[in-house]
Amino acid sequence: MVGNEDTYKSRIRAMNWARLRTFHERLIEGRVEGWEPGKAFEYLVLRAFDLEGATVKWPYVSTVSLSESGGETEQIDGAIYVDGLACIVEAKDTAATVDIAPIAKMRNQLLRRPSSTVGLIFSRGGFSRPVTTLIKFVAPQTILLWMGDEVAHALKHRAFRKGLNEKYRRSVEQGLGLHDVLENNT
């Protein structure tokens, strides 16, 4: 049985850290049932920030008015507000590396929002080499990339907030959106 957004939210919010880590392990093994493709990872990331005290806007659809003739809708995987940062989230639940399309999509979404908005892209399979090159040139938008092993590390150590703050600080200091939070934490 595949659920709707309210069902997903209710199911994930019932999970504490231990259950969330087990859910993540099952997700990686391909043993999660009852979730549409991609939804489990999306909600897992949001729940982790929720458990750390962030204000979370669960997945939603936004209507963007691009002309007088009407608007287009964009699906946002979620938004988080924590430690003075406002972030929109994109989660890619694939073992394959993510290519440029989600970066371009996030950049366009950020162009329609206040300049202080940060984009977070989570990918279980990591990012292609063109992405790691492109991410250096998306300024003035801030897009921070999270690899699958960083998600696993943050789940284990309850460190999503710490990881976000570290990635953001590194982005400010060095102008890079790709900072491995495991670098100094292993």
Side-chain angles (χ1 to χ4, degrees):
M1 173 186 124
V2 175
N4 64 26
E5 301 297 325
D6 289 334
T7 302
Y8 295 147
K9 183 177 169 183
S10 175
R11 287 165 59 188
I12 203 76
R13 290 198 79 192
M15 294 185 194
N16 61 18
W17 282 109
R19 288 186 60 205
L20 201 60
R21 282 190 298 275
T22 300
F23 185 67
H24 183 247
E25 290 167 9
R26 290 179 49 233
L27 177 66
I28 291 170
E29 295 166 357
R31 297 186 307 118
V32 171
E33 297 177 6
W35 293 77
E36 290 175 52
K39 291 291 185 183
F41 187 58
E42 185 177 297
Y43 278 79
L44 177 141
V45 166
L46 295 171
R47 177 60 178 152
F49 278 102
D50 184 42
L51 282 168
E52 287 193 42
T55 299
V56 172
K57 169 76 172 161
W58 299 90
Y60 62 98
V61 175
S62 173
T63 301
V64 180
S65 251
L66 300 176
S67 68
E68 290 181 22
S69 62
E72 294 184 24
T73 59
E74 61 181 2
Q75 194 271 332
I76 305 292
D77 289 354
I80 61 164
Y81 304 90
V82 64
D83 300 332
L85 297 174
C87 309
I88 57 174
V89 173
E90 177 73 20
K92 294 302 192 188
D93 183 17
T94 175
T97 58
V98 169
D99 215 348
I100 292 174
I103 308 305
K105 175 185 170 191
M106 176 66 75
R107 183 174 185 273
N108 288 336
Q109 290 173 330
L110 290 171
L111 285 170
R112 292 187 295 274
R113 288 170 171 78
S115 61
S116 60
T117 308
V118 176
L120 306 178
I121 302 179
F122 295 82
S123 169
R124 275 198 316 117
F127 299 91
S128 69
R129 185 172 303 279
V131 167
T132 60
T133 300
L134 176 66
I135 201 68
K136 299 171 187 173
F137 302 101
V138 295
Q141 289 75 36
T142 301
I143 300 175
L144 305 177
L145 306 180
W146 289 70
M147 312 266 199
D149 57 348
E150 292 176 295
V151 171
H153 177 84
L155 278 169
K156 180 179 179 183
H157 298 284
R158 302 177 184 188
F160 279 83
R161 271 175 94 157
K162 180 180 178 187
L164 171 59
N165 283 306
E166 194 170 314
K167 281 179 175 285
Y168 184 77
R169 181 180 56 81
R170 201 57 77 91
S171 176
V172 167
E173 293 171 1
Q174 299 176 1
L176 301 174
L178 181 61
H179 167 66
D180 188 345
V181 295
L182 301 177
E183 222 170 70
N184 300 315
N185 295 320
T186 54

